[in-house]
Amino acid sequence: MLQIEIDNGSGFCFGVTTAIQKAEEELAKGTKLYCLGDIVHNGMECDRLRQMGLITINHDEMQKLHDVKVLLRAHGEPPATYELARRNNIEIIDATCPVVLQLQKRIKKQYLNPLTDTPSSLTAQIVIFGKNGHAEVLGLVGQTEGKAIVIEQFEDVKQLDFSRDIYLYSQTTKSLDEFHRIIEYIQQHILPEATFKSFDTICRSVANRMPNISSFATKHDLILFVCGRKSSNGKVLFNECLRVNPNTHLIEGPEEIDAAWLNGIQTVGICGATSTPKWLMEQCRDALQQM
């Protein structure tokens, strides 16, 4: 008989849980509520909230809104979004993750001279290890008036100017190992007259999932990693599962399960990203049981 286990450590992180709770609370009041961008990188969860009344908008659409409520998701937003809300009399329901909010403040403090409110150093490079265009990264770069340098992968670090000061931060959901590789490379190449400081801003509730999910993936013949394909964190965790268990498949929902995967299989592990709801993993389990 097929044994199926859902990973207890998978599912929404604190920031996503809080954002969804805030949305549900507002919608339960009968409030018309807009959300700037997908509340979570999971299409099925977005569909569930859409059916409850949540209206997802983009930045261009927000420009045209006045006198409404807009929820900011856990990823955070740049200062320009708050300024737009002020101009258009939009009430912000701020669900920015506390970890992201703290990171935004640190980068802004690094960028601005607190006495003059102007850039503290035009020669320093504020560098963010993250995905270009990712909602969280856009919010971080916005703290520097667009001046921060984004590096997406280890190879990009070679493009920095090692004769100038470097202050390195990371998107909260990036790989801790790759971040440390980048730090080591900069330490080896920074010139003596330049200053280098790194700040480990990777969320531990995400980073700690790596060893746990790695251990979970080794216990089963087949791994179903349930995740929206736009999830940055999901890609990192999926690749870790795939590394330790080549019989790992990324699926967005139960309809993507291929019955052929079960041939000769005795145990299946179901896990997911910080943007994967428990109910979706349970649906995948139920679909397997029906097979």
Side-chain angles (χ1 to χ4, degrees):
M1 183 176 174
L2 188 67
Q3 290 184 323
I4 306 166
E5 182 185 5
I6 295 177
D7 175 33
N8 285 331
S10 291
F12 290 153
C13 64
F14 169 78
V16 171
T17 299
T18 302
I20 289 171
Q21 284 175 346
K22 286 189 176 186
E24 290 173 335
E25 287 167 8
E26 290 295 326
L27 293 168
K29 299 174 190 173
T31 305
K32 187 171 187 179
L33 183 64
Y34 296 88
C35 180
L36 187 54
D38 290 339
I39 192 167
V40 61
H41 287 151
N42 185 281
M44 297 180 78
E45 179 66 6
C46 289
D47 286 342
R48 183 184 74 86
L49 290 166
R50 192 175 299 117
Q51 289 167 13
M52 292 177 65
L54 187 65
I55 304 165
T56 302
I57 57 170
N58 59 33
H59 287 83
D60 289 339
E61 290 167 328
M62 185 174 170
Q63 297 266 1
K64 302 168 188 173
L65 294 178
H66 294 78
D67 310 310
V68 295
K69 285 188 177 182
V70 174
L71 182 139
L72 303 185
R73 55 199 177 160
H75 301 91
E77 283 291 320
T81 300
Y82 293 88
E83 176 57 26
L84 171 63
R86 188 191 63 76
R87 289 198 311 269
N88 289 8
N89 196 36
I90 292 171
E91 182 182 342
I92 291 292
I93 309 297
D94 201 338
T96 303
C97 171
V99 178
V100 174
L101 199 58
Q102 186 63 27
L103 173 54
Q104 287 183 348
K105 289 176 180 175
R106 289 179 72 172
I107 289 176
K108 185 172 184 177
K109 186 177 179 182
Q110 184 73 63
Y111 179 68
L112 291 179
N113 182 320
L115 298 177
T116 62
D117 211 31
T118 58
S120 53
S121 171
L122 296 175
T123 61
Q125 300 166 95
I126 294 179
V127 180
I128 297 166
F129 172 43
K131 182 181 177 183
N132 263 308
H134 187 280
E136 180 188 326
V137 174
L138 292 174
L140 299 177
V141 172
Q143 308 304 316
T144 68
E145 300 174 314
K147 303 289 198 313
I149 300 166
V150 178
I151 57 174
E152 292 201 358
Q153 54 197 356
F154 173 74
E155 290 301 313
D156 296 340
V157 73
K158 298 173 183 177
Q159 299 168 11
L160 297 178
D161 184 347
F162 296 104
S163 66
R164 294 164 57 201
D165 296 350
I166 297 173
Y167 298 96
L168 176 69
Y169 298 84
S170 175
Q171 179 182 338
T172 59
T173 54
K174 293 299 283 183
S175 161
L176 197 56
D177 289 342
E178 194 165 11
F179 185 62
H180 286 152
R181 279 187 72 204
I182 290 168
I183 290 171
E184 288 174 12
Y185 187 90
I186 296 173
Q187 286 173 335
Q188 290 165 4
H189 292 82
I190 194 85
L191 297 183
E193 63 270 21
T195 298
F196 169 54
K197 290 184 181 179
S198 62
F199 306 91
D200 182 351
T201 52
I202 293 171
C203 176
R204 284 305 180 266
S205 77
V206 174
N208 291 342
R209 291 192 183 197
M210 287 287 280
N212 295 337
I213 212 163
S214 177
S215 173
F216 177 81
T218 61
K219 295 176 183 175
H220 298 283
D221 301 327
L222 168 68
I223 291 294
L224 297 182
F225 190 88
V226 188
C227 172
R229 289 186 170 85
K230 290 195 289 185
S231 171
S232 175
N233 153 255
K235 286 173 187 167
V236 173
L237 293 174
F238 167 70
N239 285 331
E240 178 62 15
C241 286
L242 193 61
R243 185 184 69 82
V244 299
N245 186 339
N247 198 17
T248 295
H249 298 273
L250 190 149
I251 59 173
E252 290 203 338
E255 68 284 349
E256 294 186 14
I257 299 172
D258 186 342
W261 296 342
L262 303 178
N263 292 338
I265 296 298
Q266 292 185 318
T267 67
V268 180
I270 301 173
C271 52
T274 57
S275 54
T276 305
K278 280 280 195 219
W279 62 261
L280 186 54
M281 289 185 280
E282 289 166 356
Q283 281 189 0
C284 293
R285 175 201 60 200
D286 296 345
L288 284 171
Q289 289 172 339
Q290 289 172 8
M291 288 178 183

